[in-house]
Amino acid sequence: MLTAMIAAPLVGAVVVALLPRDRGVFIRRLALALSLVPLALTVPVWLRYTGGPLPEMIESARWIPALGVGYKVGVDGFSLPLVALAALLFPVSMAYPLDLRGRERTYYALFLFLEAASLGVFLALDLFLFFVFWDLSLVGMYFVIAIWGHGDAARSAIKFFIYTLTGSLALLLAIIGLYLAMAPHTFDMVSIIQDPPLSGTGLRASLIFLGFIIAFVIKSPLVPLHTWLPPAHVDAPGPGSAILAGVLLKMGTYGFIRITLQMMPDTFRRYAFALAVLAVISLLYGALVALAQSNLKRLIAYTSIAHMGLVVLGIAAAGGVLVGAVDARRIALDGAVLGMVSHGLITGALFLISGSIYARAQTYEMDEFGGLAARVRAMGLLTVVFAFASLGLPGLAQFVSDVEVFVGTFAVYPLLVVISLVGMVLLAALFLRMLKRVFLGPLGERWREMPDLDRVEHWALAVLLVPTVVIGVFPGWLIDVIDATSKAVIGR
């Protein structure tokens, strides 16, 4: 089933790309059907998952025996929620209305290709295979931004590609270093997790760790390697931004957990406090810069930097000490993984809504709006709900993850938690300010004929709203899945 999750959209991308150009409606329906295959397969995989200490439902095959490279995929409590998130976000984003400029085949083929690569990153249990899928995801998103973006899309796409490719090269070097440190040499992630090859001290371990950190800091992104993100989001189409924020950024934070925390625990512990400080800086910086924005999409992009800082803070706390505070560190790690899921749902929805606004107004400048709630009531209501979810309103998904990260981290880095709470206040302020500027006040004359969300937009956003509320009210079913693996990682 795990292989089918990757193969269905990958084969579908080839099929869609070869269809006649004039079959636009059929291409759309076929692509959406193929994108739903991983989501359908997630259900039996989730039901069969038992929550053991190691990855389950492993599928493997020989690939390059001379190098110890194999095709190996599996799921555990960290990867399964992210697989489900990606499997949900891709069909929703593909179904969301967008002017495809007569290039339906290319658009849907790229999205299917990107879905296969993204799922491959979360399912891979071989470092070489992980890197292959990681790199392939860059290609798909580059073309989505460059072809269907607006503004200075070509420049933003190139900046995105150069930054993330630089991170990929650092990742490759670090993977090679970790491979050579194993005896016998292997890329098998389960073997490396069970028997980490490097101690926390020594130049070799530090350099390998640095390579991973550069790659994951760029991808997450954290300050100061974040500058590719705002222009990429602003100039990308709405569905592209939803995938970039909801899925691709999670590859960086997932890498922090899967590789640096699990495969290099001693080295991670040595540098955990520095990583936690960097995370808090990113949280405060992202919130402060977002507060100063007049561009709606750029504002949402900077809140992503803040939220990813909070996720990394939880990860740093989880591996920050050798003994003690076991339960607290486990809670912090649970909150970090849950934060990835909640951020993907909420911020993905906000980027889709911003795409709807741009399609109607051809601008993201908040000062040009005002009073839209009187005209586009459904859009205004959904924006309010997702904005309050993003700032951590109780009863919605982000609140649960924020509380877990703060409670767990307080036992390890109490001062950093107190400082990071300032960032949460700033997030609340900037979202309230955004809602006031865009949706409240007198309705501008230009917007008296603005159409509200259509049926497809309604359904797409409703699909993301349901898990946002369910996780916020009944989080136990998801936390239990994550916690089973967290116990094994923290307890080792």
Side-chain angles (χ1 to χ4, degrees), residues 30 35 114 124 129 170 185 211 243 266 289 292 344 464 488:
L30 177 62
S35 71
L114 190 54
L129 185 67
H185 300 326
I243 294 300
D266 296 334
V289 177
L464 299 182

Side-chain angles (χ1 to χ4, degrees), residues 81-149:
L82 296 176
V83 168
L85 173 66
L88 178 65
L89 270 180
F90 269 98
V92 169
S93 299
M94 290 172 64
Y96 211 77
L98 180 69
D99 179 12
L100 300 183
R101 306 170 190 175
R103 307 187 71 168
E104 286 83 0
R105 290 186 309 175
T106 309
Y107 179 81
Y108 290 115
L110 281 172
F111 260 80
L112 288 169
F113 174 80
L114 190 54
E115 181 177 15
S118 300
L119 291 169
V121 169
F122 299 132
L123 291 172
L125 290 179
D126 181 277
L127 278 173
F128 190 85
L129 185 67
F130 176 91
F131 176 77
V132 168
F133 285 126
W134 174 288
D135 241 19
L136 290 177
S137 68
L138 311 184
V139 178
M141 184 52 65
Y142 168 79
F143 285 109
V144 169
I145 298 172
I147 298 175
W148 292 279

Side-chain angles (χ1 to χ4, degrees), residues 255-436:
F256 276 118
I257 297 175
R258 176 64 78 215
I259 297 179
T260 57
L261 178 60
Q262 288 192 268
M263 300 184 191
M264 305 182 69
D266 296 334
T267 312
F268 187 96
R269 192 176 307 114
R270 182 183 181 187
Y271 296 106
F273 180 72
L275 184 62
V277 171
L278 183 63
V280 173
I281 291 172
S282 297
L283 171 59
L284 295 175
Y285 176 87
L288 282 170
V289 177
L291 188 63
Q293 298 305 311
S294 62
N295 184 294
L296 173 62
K297 215 176 183 193
R298 190 176 290 271
L299 178 148
I300 300 171
Y302 276 106
T303 64
S304 290
I305 296 172
H307 280 120
M308 289 300 96
L310 187 61
V311 168
V312 175
L313 176 62
I315 298 170
V321 293
L322 178 60
V323 294
V326 174
D327 289 338
R329 288 157 51 213
R330 175 174 54 81
I331 291 171
L333 189 55
D334 291 347
V337 178
L338 185 59
M340 297 184 218
V341 177
S342 59
H343 176 267
L345 294 169
I346 296 165
T347 306
L350 288 172
F351 275 123
L352 291 176
I353 293 172
S354 68
S356 296
I357 293 175
Y358 185 84
R360 291 157 172 78
Q362 299 301 303
T363 182
Y364 293 120
E365 290 300 319
M366 293 186 287
D367 293 334
E368 297 191 23
F369 297 111
L372 291 188
R375 176 64 192 171
V376 287
R377 296 185 179 182
M379 181 189 293
L381 178 61
L382 285 167
T383 306
V384 169
V385 172
F386 282 112
F388 274 86
S390 187
L391 62 86
L393 185 73
L396 299 169
Q398 190 68 46
F399 172 76
V400 183
S401 61
D402 290 353
V403 167
E404 285 202 304
V405 169
F406 287 137
V407 169
T409 305
F410 194 82
V412 184
Y413 304 124
L415 180 60
L416 294 183
V417 171
V418 174
I419 296 172
S420 63
L421 288 174
V422 177
M424 303 309 295
V425 175
L426 293 172
L427 284 174
L430 68 90
F431 274 115
L432 293 174
R433 184 165 173 260
M434 178 271 287
L435 293 173
K436 178 179 180 295

